[in-house]
Amino acid sequence: MKLERLMKEKGVDAILITSLLNVRYFTDFTGTTGTALAVKDKRFFITDFRYVSQGKNEVEKNGFELICENISTLKKVGELLKEFEVKKIAIENQSVTLDQFKLFQSNFPEVEFVYLDDTFIKEREIKSEEEIEIIRESVKIAEVALEKTLPKIKIGIKEREIAAELEYQMRKLGASKASFDIIVASNERSALPHGVASEKLVEEGFLTIDYGCFYKGYASDITRTFYIGDNPTQKHLEIYEIVKEANERAIKVVKAGITVHELDAIARDFIKERGYGEYFGHGLGHGFGLQIHEYPGISFKAENKVLKEGMIITIEPGIYLPDFGGVRIEDDILVTKNSCEILTTLDKKFKKIK
Ligand SMILES: [Mn+2]
């Protein structure tokens, strides 16, 4: 149904889906080699012999006819385009390489190419009930994993060891892997918004952990900042409370109908008022799903759009003071008609780990 509407919107008689992520979105195929083709009212899924039985189970219920092609997928696609007299085909120009495009041109010389641009990622903005349930589970796995990891965190442990433990726990709980390189940033490294876990030993000061997992293909994305040691300064307490309040103020106003610029400004203006505006350089959040960063961007830098029911976004304000340390608190939020549901449940109170 979606593909039919998209074909109409794009004015094409076929859509070729080549990125595995979108193949998965439209067909449910979870393997590593597969191409989907919508031609007029027919749906084909082309894979090689390794995926025939898996593919059948996954894609046929979604209306895709499986074709096993061991030599050349594109040759097969070309034959189908000819058979159905396709004149215009939409392709995923944002993920197709130049080499692939040249192959498209040589295998289907008679068709005109139309670019999908960001059509698919826009399609994925609003999550279905089924996707929401999976993301809920993804968030839960990540949360339990952090709870199991916390007792191991102490002064002297390597950042990478914390990241390894977190990933181990997430996988043990059913995740396929971490949803990105886990960020574990101790003391002055916590001032780096993307301080991927390093060889550094944890020392007294802030410790920021930004992580998540993939579960059934869907991401989670959570950040918590802790204080390691027993003697936080006034400044540590102050910036922590500002970030926490910015996070809470923003979450309070999330609902269908608010624009991403309005939402970003709620947190940003508050941090500015408290004198730390220049230390919050990134956007307030982002959508996520099959990818860790999807639409909408919740940022003054992003295209301004209105939040809709069923979007899942992060809210993650931060303050980063060079050579001192930083705080970020990130929650995962489901936008509902009149407010939102906070999917993350981990505590946000200033927490000292000794
Ligand atoms: Mn994030």
Side-chain angles (χ1 to χ4, degrees), residues 180 194 210 221-223 285-286 292-293 314 316 328 330 332:
F180 53 91
H194 269 187
D210 184 350
D221 188 7
I222 305 173
T223 309
H286 54 88
I292 192 67
H293 291 117
T314 69
E316 49 179 309
R328 178 168 63 258
E330 176 180 35
D332 297 341

Side-chain angles (χ1 to χ4, degrees), residues 114-165:
V114 172
Y115 294 161
L116 284 166
D117 296 322
D118 57 0
T119 304
F120 283 164
I121 189 164
K122 275 187 182 150
E123 247 353 87
R124 304 202 317 254
E125 248 177 5
I126 294 172
K127 271 65 186 175
S128 67
E129 277 306 315
E130 204 186 340
E131 290 179 293
I132 291 168
E133 278 318 304
I134 297 173
I135 292 172
R136 242 187 249 287
E137 197 56 34
S138 182
V139 170
K140 197 167 171 201
I141 288 171
E143 292 201 322
V144 174
L146 183 61
E147 275 161 1
K148 286 182 183 280
T149 302
L150 282 181
K152 310 218 157 146
I153 298 178
K154 54 176 190 279
I155 288 178
I157 190 175
K158 231 183 245 177
E159 290 175 353
R160 278 207 181 117
E161 213 172 315
I162 297 172
E165 181 67 27

